[in-house]
Coordinates of all heavy atoms in Angstrom, one line a residue:
I119 N -0.7 -9.9 -10.2 CA -0.1 -9.8 -8.9 C -1.1 -9.7 -7.8 O -1.1 -10.4 -6.7 CB 1.0 -8.8 -8.8 CG1 2.1 -9.1 -9.7 CG2 1.5 -8.7 -7.3 CD1 3.1 -7.9 -9.8
G120 N -2.3 -8.9 -8.1 CA -3.3 -8.7 -7.1 C -4.0 -10.1 -6.9 O -4.4 -10.4 -5.7
Q121 N -4.2 -10.8 -7.9 CA -4.8 -12.2 -7.7 C -3.9 -13.0 -6.9 O -4.4 -13.9 -6.1 CB -5.2 -12.8 -9.0 CG -6.3 -12.1 -9.8 CD -7.4 -11.7 -8.9 OE1 -8.1 -12.5 -8.3 NE2 -7.8 -10.4 -8.8
Q122 N -2.6 -13.0 -7.1 CA -1.6 -13.7 -6.2 C -1.8 -13.2 -4.7 O -1.7 -14.1 -3.7 CB -0.3 -13.5 -6.7 CG 0.0 -14.1 -8.0 CD 1.4 -13.8 -8.5 OE1 2.4 -13.7 -7.8 NE2 1.6 -13.6 -9.8
I123 N -2.0 -12.0 -4.6 CA -2.2 -11.4 -3.2 C -3.4 -12.0 -2.6 O -3.3 -12.5 -1.4 CB -2.3 -9.8 -3.2 CG1 -1.0 -9.2 -3.6 CG2 -2.8 -9.3 -1.8 CD1 -1.0 -7.7 -3.8
R124 N -4.4 -12.1 -3.4 CA -5.7 -12.9 -2.7 C -5.4 -14.3 -2.4 O -5.9 -14.7 -1.4 CB -6.8 -12.8 -3.9 CG -7.4 -11.3 -4.0 CD -8.3 -10.9 -2.9 NE -9.5 -11.8 -2.8 CZ -10.6 -11.6 -3.6 NH1 -10.7 -10.7 -4.4 NH2 -11.6 -12.6 -3.4
Q125 N -4.7 -14.9 -3.3 CA -4.3 -16.3 -2.9 C -3.5 -16.4 -1.6 O -3.8 -17.3 -0.8 CB -3.5 -16.9 -4.1 CG -4.3 -17.1 -5.3 CD -3.3 -17.5 -6.5 OE1 -2.2 -18.1 -6.3 NE2 -3.7 -17.1 -7.7
C126 N -2.6 -15.5 -1.5 CA -1.7 -15.5 -0.2 C -2.6 -15.3 1.0 O -2.5 -15.9 2.0 CB -0.7 -14.4 -0.3 SG 0.6 -14.7 -1.5
Q127 N -3.5 -14.3 0.9 CA -4.4 -13.9 2.0 C -5.3 -15.1 2.4 O -5.5 -15.4 3.5 CB -5.2 -12.7 1.7 CG -4.3 -11.4 1.7 CD -5.2 -10.2 1.1 OE1 -5.9 -10.3 0.3 NE2 -4.7 -9.0 1.6
N128 N -5.7 -15.8 1.3 CA -6.6 -17.1 1.6 C -5.8 -18.1 2.3 O -6.4 -19.0 2.9 CB -7.1 -17.5 0.4 CG -8.2 -16.6 -0.3 OD1 -8.8 -15.8 0.4 ND2 -8.4 -16.7 -1.6
L129 N -4.4 -18.1 2.1 CA -3.6 -19.1 2.9 C -3.2 -18.6 4.2 O -2.5 -19.2 5.0 CB -2.4 -19.3 2.0 CG -2.5 -20.1 0.7 CD1 -1.2 -20.0 -0.2 CD2 -2.9 -21.4 0.9
G130 N -3.6 -17.4 4.6 CA -3.4 -16.8 5.9 C -2.2 -16.0 6.1 O -1.7 -15.5 7.1
V131 N -1.6 -15.6 4.9 CA -0.4 -14.8 4.8 C -0.9 -13.2 4.7 O -1.7 -13.0 3.8 CB 0.6 -15.1 3.6 CG1 1.7 -14.2 3.6 CG2 0.9 -16.6 3.8
K132 N -0.4 -12.5 5.6 CA -0.7 -11.0 5.5 C 0.2 -10.3 4.6 O 1.3 -10.5 4.5 CB -0.7 -10.3 6.9 CG -1.7 -10.9 7.9 CD -1.9 -10.0 9.1 CE -2.9 -10.6 10.1 NZ -4.2 -10.4 9.4
I133 N -0.4 -9.5 3.7 CA 0.4 -8.8 2.6 C 0.4 -7.3 2.9 O -0.6 -6.7 3.0 CB -0.3 -9.0 1.2 CG1 -0.3 -10.5 0.9 CG2 0.6 -8.3 0.2 CD1 1.1 -11.3 0.9
V134 N 1.5 -6.8 3.1 CA 1.8 -5.4 3.6 C 2.6 -4.6 2.4 O 3.4 -5.1 1.8 CB 2.5 -5.4 4.9 CG1 3.1 -4.0 5.3 CG2 1.8 -6.0 6.0
L135 N 2.2 -3.3 2.3 CA 2.8 -2.4 1.4 C 4.0 -1.7 2.1 O 3.8 -0.9 3.0 CB 1.8 -1.4 0.8 CG 2.4 -0.5 -0.2 CD1 2.9 -1.3 -1.5 CD2 1.4 0.6 -0.5
A136 N 5.2 -2.0 1.6 CA 6.4 -1.3 2.1 C 6.6 0.1 1.4 O 6.6 0.1 0.1 CB 7.6 -2.2 1.9
L137 N 6.8 1.1 2.2 CA 6.8 2.4 1.6 C 8.3 3.0 1.8 O 8.9 3.1 2.9 CB 5.9 3.4 2.5 CG 4.5 3.0 2.7 CD1 3.9 3.9 3.7 CD2 3.8 2.8 1.5
G138 N 8.9 3.2 0.6 CA 10.2 3.9 0.6 C 11.3 3.0 0.0 O 11.3 2.7 -1.2
G139 N 12.3 2.5 0.8 CA 13.4 1.8 0.4 C 14.6 2.7 0.2 O 14.6 3.9 0.4
A140 N 15.8 2.1 -0.2 CA 17.0 2.8 -0.3 C 17.1 3.8 -1.5 O 17.9 4.7 -1.5 CB 18.2 1.9 -0.3
D141 N 16.3 3.4 -2.5 CA 16.3 4.2 -3.7 C 14.9 4.9 -4.0 O 14.0 4.7 -3.1 CB 16.6 3.3 -5.0 CG 17.9 2.6 -4.8 OD1 18.9 3.3 -4.5 OD2 18.0 1.5 -5.1
G142 N 14.8 5.7 -5.0 CA 13.5 6.4 -5.3 C 13.5 7.7 -4.5 O 14.4 8.2 -4.0
D143 N 12.3 8.3 -4.7 CA 12.1 9.7 -4.1 C 10.8 9.6 -3.3 O 9.8 9.5 -3.9 CB 11.9 10.7 -5.2 CG 11.9 12.1 -4.6 OD1 12.1 12.3 -3.4 OD2 11.7 13.0 -5.5
H144 N 10.9 9.7 -2.0 CA 9.8 9.5 -1.2 C 9.8 10.3 0.1 O 10.8 10.2 0.9 CB 9.6 8.0 -0.7 CG 10.9 7.3 -0.4 ND1 11.5 6.6 -1.4 CD2 11.5 7.2 0.8 CE1 12.6 6.2 -0.8 NE2 12.6 6.5 0.5
T145 N 8.8 11.2 0.3 CA 8.7 12.1 1.4 C 7.3 12.3 1.7 O 6.4 12.4 0.8 CB 9.5 13.4 1.1 OG1 8.8 14.1 -0.1 CG2 10.9 13.3 0.9
V146 N 7.0 12.5 2.9 CA 5.8 13.0 3.5 C 6.0 14.4 4.2 O 6.5 14.4 5.3 CB 5.0 12.1 4.5 CG1 3.7 12.6 4.8 CG2 5.0 10.6 3.9
L147 N 5.7 15.4 3.3 CA 6.1 16.8 3.9 C 5.0 17.3 4.7 O 3.9 16.8 4.8 CB 6.4 17.7 2.5 CG 7.4 17.2 1.6 CD1 7.4 18.1 0.4 CD2 8.7 17.2 2.2
S148 N 5.4 18.4 5.4 CA 4.5 19.1 6.3 C 3.2 19.5 5.6 O 3.3 20.0 4.4 CB 5.1 20.3 6.8 OG 4.3 21.0 7.7
G149 N 2.1 19.1 6.1 CA 0.7 19.4 5.5 C 0.3 18.5 4.4 O -0.8 18.7 4.0
M150 N 1.1 17.4 4.2 CA 0.8 16.4 3.1 C 0.3 15.2 3.5 O -0.1 14.3 2.7 CB 2.0 16.4 2.1 CG 2.3 17.6 1.4 SD 1.0 18.0 0.1 CE 1.7 19.6 -0.5
G151 N 0.3 15.0 4.8 CA 0.0 13.5 5.4 C -1.3 13.1 5.1 O -1.5 11.9 4.6
T152 N -2.3 13.9 5.2 CA -3.6 13.5 5.0 C -4.0 13.2 3.6 O -4.5 12.2 3.2 CB -4.6 14.5 5.4 OG1 -4.6 14.7 6.9 CG2 -6.2 14.0 5.2
A153 N -3.4 14.0 2.6 CA -3.5 13.8 1.2 C -2.9 12.5 0.8 O -3.4 11.7 0.0 CB -3.0 14.9 0.4
F154 N -1.7 12.2 1.3 CA -1.0 10.9 0.9 C -1.7 9.7 1.6 O -1.9 8.7 0.9 CB 0.4 11.0 1.6 CG 1.2 9.7 1.3 CD1 1.2 9.1 0.0 CD2 1.8 9.0 2.3 CE1 1.9 7.9 -0.2 CE2 2.5 7.8 2.1 CZ 2.6 7.3 0.8
A155 N -2.3 9.8 2.8 CA -3.1 8.8 3.4 C -4.3 8.5 2.5 O -4.7 7.3 2.4 CB -3.5 9.3 4.8
E156 N -4.9 9.5 2.1 CA -6.1 9.3 1.2 C -5.7 8.5 0.0 O -6.4 7.6 -0.5 CB -6.8 10.7 0.8 CG -7.4 11.4 1.9 CD -7.9 12.8 1.5 OE1 -7.5 13.2 0.4 OE2 -8.7 13.3 2.3
T157 N -4.6 8.8 -0.6 CA -4.2 8.1 -1.9 C -3.8 6.6 -1.5 O -4.2 5.8 -2.2 CB -2.7 8.7 -2.3 OG1 -3.0 10.0 -2.7 CG2 -2.2 8.0 -3.5
L158 N -3.2 6.3 -0.4 CA -3.0 5.0 0.1 C -4.3 4.2 0.2 O -4.6 3.2 -0.3 CB -2.2 4.9 1.3 CG -0.7 5.3 1.3 CD1 0.0 5.3 2.6 CD2 0.1 4.4 0.3
H159 N -5.2 4.9 1.0 CA -6.4 4.3 1.3 C -7.3 3.9 0.1 O -7.8 2.9 -0.1 CB -7.3 5.2 2.2 CG -8.7 4.8 2.4 ND1 -8.9 3.6 3.3 CD2 -9.9 5.3 2.1 CE1 -10.3 3.4 3.4 NE2 -10.9 4.3 2.7
N160 N -7.3 5.0 -0.9 CA -8.0 4.7 -2.1 C -7.4 3.8 -3.2 O -8.2 3.1 -3.8 CB -8.4 6.1 -2.8 CG -9.3 6.9 -1.9 OD1 -10.1 6.4 -1.3 ND2 -9.1 8.3 -2.1
S161 N -6.1 3.7 -3.0 CA -5.4 2.9 -4.1 C -5.1 1.4 -3.6 O -4.9 0.5 -4.5 CB -4.0 3.6 -4.5 OG -4.4 4.8 -5.1
F162 N -5.1 1.2 -2.3 CA -4.6 -0.1 -1.8 C -5.3 -0.7 -0.7 O -5.2 -1.8 -0.3 CB -3.0 0.0 -1.3 CG -2.1 0.5 -2.3 CD1 -1.7 1.8 -2.4 CD2 -1.7 -0.4 -3.2 CE1 -0.8 2.2 -3.3 CE2 -0.7 0.0 -4.3 CZ -0.4 1.3 -4.3
F163 N -6.3 0.2 -0.2 CA -7.1 -0.3 1.0 C -8.5 -0.3 0.7 O -8.9 -0.7 -0.3 CB -6.6 0.4 2.3 CG -5.2 0.1 2.6 CD1 -4.1 1.0 2.4 CD2 -4.8 -1.0 3.3 CE1 -2.8 0.6 2.6 CE2 -3.5 -1.4 3.6 CZ -2.5 -0.5 3.2
G164 N -9.3 0.3 1.7 CA -10.8 0.2 1.6 C -11.4 1.3 0.7 O -12.7 1.3 0.6
G165 N -10.7 2.2 0.2 CA -11.3 3.2 -0.6 C -11.5 2.7 -2.1 O -11.5 1.6 -2.4

């Protein structure tokens, strides 16, 4: 899927990660924002 993302980006389509949805368990609790941001950065962005 990652290689498909590269193909999309090469076509000029921006690919964005949607966080949450109607199902699942997702929260950013008090004091946890920076740690979660680090996880996103390291797993999906420039980290």
Side-chain angles (χ1 to χ4, degrees):
I119 295 173
Q121 294 313 302
Q122 294 176 38
I123 290 171
R124 290 283 298 273
Q125 293 171 29
C126 291
Q127 292 171 328
N128 288 338
L129 290 169
V131 181
K132 292 187 180 297
I133 304 298
V134 169
L135 181 64
L137 311 175
D141 300 315
D143 186 7
H144 39 268
T145 54
V146 185
L147 301 175
S148 179
M150 295 292 180
T152 299
F154 178 52
E156 289 174 348
T157 297
L158 290 175
H159 177 66
N160 291 331
S161 298
F162 300 100
F163 296 98

